[in-house]
Amino acid sequence: MIRLTDAPLDSQTGIAQVQSTQAGAVVLFLGTTREFTRGRQTLTLIYDGYREMAERELQRLETTASERWSLTACLIEHRLGEVPLGEASVLVAVSSPHRKDAFEAAQWIMDTLKQDVPIWKQEHWADGQVEWVHPGLPPAE
Amino acid sequence: MIVHVRLFAAARELAGREVVEILVEEALTVGDLRALLATQVPALAPLLPHVRLAVNSSYASDATQVAAGDEVACIPPVSGG
């Protein structure tokens, strides 16, 4: 199951969607908006995405994870638009018969999501600067 | 034919628009398109070596052929999560 949404992500709902009598483990990951990055203060984050492709890539992550690990259920959700401090921009919930699969799959999903899913965050810094985050790019002049 | 290239994040900001239209004589590859983008939208030139291009919502290599009606997108390094 995958979902892009402009609304807040709800961890309880996410857990409920993967919890099952077939599973002995549920792993939940939330990525949340952090206030300080290397001492610099964030006011808020805005996320934008290439929605059609982001949905396809998220689906590909779910399919690949389900082939590589023995999973009972898998949910990947990403929020777009503004994600205020402390709130979740991404939710991954994975259940499996045994915990190792759920831990490993959740970690792989997040690592791969951060490389391949066409979603971008825009930092709104407390010092007034606004910038798109593009890992690996030389800083703009 | 006209190839439409969708832009996102810093690419959109640099170009000042969401879509770039490139007029081409004949079928071309993603690599050809990358070079054309740099000359036709000079503001994008510094970013282009760092972007991936997608054709019809899938990442494409520079050898991929672009045909009329394909949707091309310029994907700068992503930062979701």
Side-chain angles (χ1 to χ4, degrees):
Chain A
M1 300 167 279
I2 63 109
R3 191 166 71 103
L4 289 179
T5 176
D6 295 311
L9 302 180
D10 184 71
S11 53
Q12 290 306 317
T13 308
I15 290 168
Q17 285 186 74
V18 301
Q19 211 157 12
S20 159
T21 56
Q22 310 292 310
V26 173
V27 166
L28 172 74
F29 174 84
L30 296 177
T32 58
T33 300
R34 180 177 57 233
E35 185 170 13
F36 287 94
T37 299
R38 290 182 291 279
R40 199 172 177 196
Q41 189 175 14
T42 294
L43 288 183
T44 194
L45 294 179
I46 310 276
Y47 284 87
D48 192 16
Y50 176 12
R51 287 176 186 248
E52 307 92 302
M53 182 171 171
E55 285 178 348
R56 277 183 63 154
E57 286 290 311
L58 289 175
Q59 188 57 61
R60 189 179 62 80
L61 293 189
E62 185 198 337
T63 303
T64 305
S66 301
E67 288 165 0
R68 285 177 60 170
W69 289 278
S70 174
L71 304 182
T72 308
C74 174
L75 171 68
I76 314 172
E77 297 182 324
H78 206 297
R79 182 174 171 185
L80 298 176
E82 182 174 6
V83 181
L85 294 180
E87 295 190 19
S89 52
V90 64
L91 178 155
V92 174
V94 182
S95 60
S96 58
H98 302 283
R99 70 181 182 280
K100 192 163 183 280
D101 291 288
F103 274 128
E104 288 182 4
Q107 170 123 36
W108 177 85
I109 287 167
M110 275 310 303
D111 290 348
T112 312
L113 182 152
K114 281 177 160 287
Q115 286 180 4
D116 286 344
V117 179
I119 292 174
W120 299 270
K121 79 177 161 192
Q122 189 183 47
E123 283 273 6
H124 290 245
W125 299 105
D127 61 19
Q129 283 214 356
V130 174
E131 59 195 15
W132 287 106
V133 178
H134 292 304
L137 270 198
E141 70 282 1
Chain B
M1 66 176 179
I2 292 175
V3 177
H4 298 263
V5 182
R6 294 180 66 176
L7 305 177
F8 295 93
R12 183 180 290 182
E13 253 179 29
L14 285 169
R17 51 201 148 143
E18 297 187 9
V19 178
V20 172
E21 291 183 354
I22 307 274
L23 181 64
V24 296
E25 301 281 320
E26 54 196 20
L28 76 175
T29 65
V30 165
D32 297 333
L33 192 59
R34 192 189 295 272
L36 277 173
L37 274 170
T39 55
Q40 299 201 9
V41 192
L44 284 178
L47 191 62
L48 285 168
H50 306 282
V51 308
R52 284 188 276 180
L53 292 172
V55 177
N56 301 328
S57 292
S58 293
Y59 287 114
S61 76
D62 276 357
T64 304
Q65 288 287 326
V66 179
D70 283 347
E71 179 174 280
V72 180
C74 172
I75 314 282
V78 303
S79 53

